[in-house]
Amino acid sequence: MSEAETMLSVDNLKVYFDIKPEGAMLWTKPLRLKAVDGVSFDLKKGETLGIVGESGCGKSTLARAVISMVPSESGRVVWMGSDILGLPVDKMRPLRREIQMIFQDPLASLDPRMTIGEIIAEPLKTHMRNLKPKEIKERVQAMMDKVGLLPNQINRYPHEFSGGQCQRIGIARSLILEPKLVICDEPVSALDVSIQAQVINLLTRLQKELGISLIFIAHDLSVVKHISDRVLVLYLGNAVEMSDGDELYMRPRHPYTQLLISAVPIPDPEIEQNREVDLIKGELPSPINPPSGCVFRTRCPRVQEKCAKEKPVLQTIEGTHQVACHFPLD
Amino acid sequence: MAIADQKVQEFSERLVTAEEIKGRSLWQDASRRFFRNKAAFASLIVLTLVVLFTFVGPYFAVWSNEEIDWSVLGQVPTKGVPSFESGHFFGTDDLGRDLYSRVIQGTQISLLVGIIGAGIAVLVGTFYGAVAGYFGGRIDSAMMRTVDILLAIPYMFILILLLMVFGRSVLMLFVGIGLVSWLGMARIVRGQTLSIKNKEFVEAALVTGVHPFTIIFRHIVPNLLGVVAVYATLLVPEMILTESFISFLGLGVQEPNTSWGALISQGASTIQYGTLWQLLFPLFFFVISLFSFYFIGDGLRDALDPKDR
């Protein structure tokens, strides 16, 4: 894995939003919401990076900032050797071909007035303008076949499909240009469990066939564990731990990760009923006014004085295992 | 069991090899709902008949709309009554002109005013509102404040001034009505655009790198056409009413042209002489057409927005 070339390198990425409090006057200084506060990671070719965290911790914002869909405050995003952060729109457009995205709500991500043939063909029409209608149709039908849709359904509309099928359409659309990286923004959260498995298996199969990299965002730890090579844990816009998937689940070092993993339900009613889960106490603090020092200190069971004063940085502690904690678990 | 298996086999084969299945679009759904709405469907038929009448009617006319029947002049209340013998099916007006032909012509002009006014509103208002809503920020503020300022000007005043300064003509009437009709449409479309542009399918198009104007025309406009269609059908009668009001004041279309408003105005002014038909015939067409437009608008709203019922 380590020999493979690095495709995407994100360095100290920060995304801040200015928020005007209600009833603000023109001269009122806006509040700063630190949605993503200095996150760094690398992604290698063919690798899957899972990003997990509570809702509102900045997972989606991070992914969108990487592809310049939301403006970033500072940091660097290096894609195939060149910095792409803050590129003008027309310079960014050719890159859109290489990085595609799959969305959370399968039905909402498909235009209800277009047939699925038109939907899947849209990236082709945008980036390969000299294709003839017949070639486009052939490619669309081949892609539909690949994602497990019947090619003769090409003229149907999104509302005539189930959620899982709609997600397949979304996957087909994202893969038709043969991108190098696909960002999956909670692609299975809106589906029920059996369909989740189908869609995830489809994604892993296509990843192997096409050799694409994935950034897989989810809040379901077991899903992320299944699909990811490495996992990044976010808390309140900060990376708290990053490690190889299995290592992270076997030996979490950050107290937050440990609490998250202990909360994953076990699919056995007897064990599930009798075990004690350490719940994370308290609420997620507001990103407008994050705690000083370590952002997790207000809810951490191992909190000490140092945590309020110094902000821990992401440090490598063993092999590829990185953790941002003054007092990591063993 | 074996038979069932065979059936499943056949079915799956049919699924795979079958012809391309035609999808049922949201428009088709909506039109089915529309035609099931009896009031709306009946109104559509009535309106179609009125429009047909303006095309077919002239072939049956004995008198043109400009000709004066000298034989009835001066004795309109007695000789100008509606009758098949004299050829004046709807009677004559105060000057002895054939009311049948004049009603046909008035209907044509009034419908044209309504449809062109609403047409301008649809074209200009949709584009303007979609651009303002989609780009947002300063562009949106500047564009919508312009609309607010234009709306704040009393438009009847402007319309009357226009007709006084440039002379009374149908063209001026179109210009004047066109100038103001799109403002409300622009506001409605902008509001809809704001909600559509945050949908995930627009984001998906953005991530793919689709050009902003392509997004507006490919994704935003088709999704707000439902609202536009409803509002446009309600705009048509509004335009007709405006024109009628102007004509009623004596400022609208010029003789020998006429419109519903002008005809009703003339009919109302001679009502004391007992020539009631001069009011009733234009009024009848006016009322059934407006009713039809409102019912169609209502039916369209129900058909396009089934959730809102």
Side-chain angles (χ1 to χ4, degrees):
Chain A
M1 191 62 77
S2 54
E3 297 90 51
E5 55 174 317
T6 304
M7 294 181 86
L8 178 75
S9 169
V10 175
D11 186 30
N12 203 18
L13 188 67
K14 290 183 181 174
V15 182
Y16 294 166
F17 295 120
D18 285 345
I19 292 184
K20 288 245 173 179
E22 210 163 310
M25 296 295 158
L26 277 175
W27 53 86
T28 316
K29 227 179 131 202
L31 298 171
R32 312 220 80 183
L33 186 150
K34 299 183 173 178
V36 177
D37 198 12
V39 174
S40 310
F41 63 85
D42 288 338
L43 187 70
K44 298 187 185 77
K45 197 165 185 285
E47 187 186 33
T48 303
L49 177 73
I51 300 180
V52 288
E54 284 171 79
S55 4
C57 73
K59 305 179 297 265
S60 297
T61 310
L62 172 63
R64 279 168 176 73
V66 167
I67 52 171
S68 299
M69 292 297 289
V70 295
S72 311
E73 186 74 18
S74 67
R76 267 159 58 84
V77 176
V78 178
W79 168 253
M80 311 289 281
S82 57
D83 196 344
I84 61 165
L85 204 60
L87 272 187
V89 181
D90 50 326
K91 292 253 175 62
M92 192 68 200
R93 201 160 282 142
L95 291 174
R96 299 262 181 242
R97 187 178 169 168
E98 294 170 0
I99 309 174
Q100 289 284 320
M101 198 159 168
I102 299 171
F103 295 88
Q104 175 171 11
D105 186 337
L107 190 56
S109 67
L110 309 175
D111 187 338
R113 307 266 171 203
M114 285 162 86
T115 65
I116 66 159
E118 289 166 341
I119 290 170
I120 298 173
E122 185 167 41
L124 280 180
K125 283 181 190 155
T126 309
H127 289 280
M128 304 177 80
R129 297 188 176 208
N130 45 7
L131 277 186
K132 292 188 191 74
K134 206 177 149 230
E135 290 174 299
I136 289 181
K137 195 174 171 187
E138 275 167 13
R139 286 195 190 206
V140 168
Q141 287 188 324
M143 185 45 82
M144 286 174 72
D145 189 40
K146 220 175 229 174
V147 297
L149 291 163
L150 292 172
N152 61 20
Q153 311 259 342
I154 189 165
N155 288 328
R156 305 198 101 171
Y157 289 84
H159 66 265
E160 298 172 288
F161 290 90
S162 69
Q165 283 174 312
C166 282
Q167 199 55 287
R168 284 169 195 266
I169 298 165
I171 292 171
R173 169 176 62 189
S174 68
L175 294 180
I176 192 136
L177 285 172
E178 292 163 11
K180 300 193 172 86
L181 169 63
V182 176
I183 294 174
C184 313
D185 186 6
E186 309 210 11
V188 294
S189 328
L191 306 173
D192 58 49
V193 179
S194 58
I195 310 294
Q196 281 188 4
Q198 287 179 16
V199 169
I200 285 174
N201 288 339
L202 173 69
L203 270 175
T204 40
R205 199 193 82 217
L206 291 170
Q207 185 187 20
K208 272 194 201 111
E209 275 175 32
L210 305 168
I212 46 180
S213 307
L214 293 179
I215 291 181
F216 193 94
I217 300 168
H219 51 237
D220 185 337
L221 285 157
S222 32
V223 167
V224 169
K225 182 186 177 188
H226 180 79
I227 195 168
S228 309
D229 300 317
R230 278 189 308 148
V231 178
L232 173 70
V233 184
L234 279 186
Y235 181 78
L236 212 64
N238 288 266
V240 296
E241 188 163 6
M242 180 153 72
S243 168
D244 287 350
D246 294 334
E247 161 89 5
L248 187 89
Y249 284 89
M250 302 301 286
R251 288 180 61 201
R253 298 302 189 93
H254 198 283
Y256 178 60
T257 317
Q258 192 214 2
L259 289 169
L260 271 187
I261 289 169
S262 75
V264 175
I266 297 164
D268 182 331
E270 266 175 42
I271 304 175
E272 183 63 36
Q273 262 175 13
N274 298 326
R275 75 174 178 147
E276 274 185 31
V277 179
D278 301 327
L279 287 175
I280 307 175
K281 60 183 184 197
E283 292 282 321
L284 192 68
S286 162
I288 295 174
N289 191 14
S292 65
C294 174
V295 282
F296 187 56
R297 72 175 166 84
T298 51
R299 300 164 81 184
C300 184
R302 298 162 64 90
V303 65
Q304 295 186 28
E305 245 173 67
K306 192 184 173 192
C307 302
K309 290 181 191 137
E310 266 178 64
K311 184 167 180 171
V313 289
L314 203 63
Q315 282 173 327
T316 307
I317 53 168
E318 207 183 295
T320 55
H321 202 141
Q322 292 177 296
V323 65
C325 184
H326 293 307
F327 310 101
L329 301 155
D330 301 319
Chain B
M1 204 53 202
I3 296 167
D5 274 351
Q6 202 186 346
K7 271 192 177 162
V8 169
Q9 188 75 26
E10 271 173 28
F11 178 70
S12 59
E13 264 169 32
R14 255 212 324 276
L15 268 183
V16 176
T17 55
E19 291 285 292
E20 277 168 22
I21 296 160
K22 253 194 85 53
R24 198 160 39 83
S25 75
L26 294 182
W27 294 115
Q28 287 162 321
D29 275 356
S31 73
R32 256 194 2 192
R33 277 193 295 271
F34 180 82
F35 288 117
R36 257 193 261 138
N37 182 338
K38 288 193 189 84
F41 188 43
S43 296
L44 191 65
I45 292 174
V46 169
L47 200 63
T48 317
L49 287 178
V50 169
V51 172
L52 270 180
F53 172 66
T54 68
F55 284 110
V56 180
Y59 294 110
F60 298 102
V62 181
W63 301 81
S64 87
N65 62 321
E66 290 174 41
E67 258 175 294
I68 292 175
D69 186 356
W70 298 103
S71 66
V72 301
L73 199 62
Q75 307 158 47
V76 172
T78 49
K79 285 199 170 171
V81 288
S83 81
F84 285 105
E85 284 152 46
S86 63
H88 299 300
F89 307 132
F90 291 180
T92 67
D93 72 356
D94 219 28
L95 291 172
R97 288 176 297 189
D98 183 33
L99 202 60
Y100 176 77
S101 289
R102 285 178 65 77
V103 165
I104 288 174
Q105 205 214 358
T107 307
Q108 279 173 347
I109 295 222
S110 283
L111 285 179
L112 209 59
V113 167
I115 288 163
I116 288 186
I120 293 174
V122 167
L123 291 178
V124 180
T126 307
F127 183 68
Y128 194 93
V131 168
Y134 180 77
F135 289 105
R138 292 232 170 98
I139 298 176
D140 181 30
S141 299
M143 288 175 86
M144 292 325 283
R145 287 309 79 74
T146 314
V147 167
D148 290 347
I149 290 168
L150 287 175
L151 271 175
I153 301 171
Y155 83 98
M156 201 49 96
F157 180 70
I158 298 289
L159 199 54
I160 290 170
L161 265 185
L162 261 178
L163 291 167
M164 300 285 277
V165 174
F166 295 103
R168 291 159 47 190
S169 69
V170 181
L171 184 73
M172 262 303 121
L173 205 63
F174 286 152
V175 171
I177 287 180
L179 273 180
V180 289
S181 65
W182 61 275
L183 297 169
M185 182 68 96
R187 277 189 164 178
I188 288 174
V189 167
R190 179 221 171 222
Q192 283 291 310
T193 307
L194 286 182
S195 72
I196 293 173
K197 80 164 178 183
N198 288 323
K199 294 249 168 81
E200 276 184 337
F201 63 82
V202 174
E203 202 187 353
L206 274 172
V207 170
T208 304
V210 182
H211 200 275
F213 277 98
T214 316
I215 291 183
I216 289 178
F217 285 113
R218 195 185 286 164
H219 296 290
I220 306 248
V221 170
N223 278 292
L224 46 80
L225 273 186
V227 185
V228 170
V230 171
Y231 190 63
T233 46
L234 298 176
L235 250 183
V236 174
E238 204 178 298
M239 296 293 122
I240 292 174
L241 279 171
T242 307
E243 188 278 329
S244 298
F245 179 66
I246 297 273
S247 295
F248 195 84
L249 292 180
L251 277 169
V253 293
Q254 209 169 11
E255 296 287 353
N257 286 330
T258 190
S259 73
W260 282 337
L263 286 171
I264 292 168
S265 164
Q266 283 160 12
S269 66
T270 58
I271 199 165
Q272 68 226 46
Y273 308 128
T275 54
L276 202 57
W277 65 85
Q278 292 180 1
L279 177 64
L280 289 185
F281 281 109
L283 200 61
F284 169 75
F285 282 93
F286 181 76
V287 168
I288 59 165
S289 305
L290 289 203
F291 260 122
S292 301
F293 273 115
Y294 282 127
F295 276 125
I296 290 171
D298 233 31
L300 273 180
R301 183 165 42 211
D302 288 347
L304 293 165
D305 242 347
K307 273 175 264 161
D308 280 359
R309 255 203 290 192

